[in-house]
Amino acid sequence: MSTSVTAKVQATIPKAVREFLGITPGSRVDFHRAADGSVMLTRAHREKPAGRFEQLRGHAGKGITTDAIMALTRGDGPSS
């Protein structure tokens, strides 16, 4: 896998590598030089990143209850 370096001396980490390491926007990464002169890229934080659905958990916020929704759909709700 290879990538090119831009004029701003930035490189895009290939998608397969980002997914394998769990790198998402805002993630911090570390570079380590190995004894053989190669450079290794690792995710700086070792905690597992939230999954696609885990990131959405709790975003509905507090609002109308299920019972209130059911009452409204049955026509038992408050009149306006």
Side-chain angles (χ1 to χ4, degrees):
M1 227 176 283
S2 67
T3 187
S4 58
V5 177
T6 68
K8 291 183 174 185
V9 194
Q10 298 174 338
T12 299
I13 301 169
K15 183 178 180 183
V17 175
R18 292 191 316 262
E19 289 177 345
F20 177 75
L21 293 175
I23 296 172
T24 57
S27 293
R28 297 192 56 80
V29 295
D30 287 329
F31 295 92
H32 304 279
R33 191 173 74 179
D36 65 358
S38 63
V39 177
M40 295 175 50
L41 169 71
T42 59
R43 190 176 71 239
H45 301 320
R46 297 292 178 203
E47 69 272 2
K48 184 180 177 187
R52 292 182 297 166
F53 299 111
E54 184 68 28
Q55 293 173 4
L56 299 174
R57 178 175 282 165
H59 281 258
K62 294 186 178 186
I64 192 166
T65 65
T66 303
D67 290 335
I69 292 171
M70 294 305 292
L72 288 171
T73 58
R74 292 184 187 120
D76 300 336
S79 319
S80 34

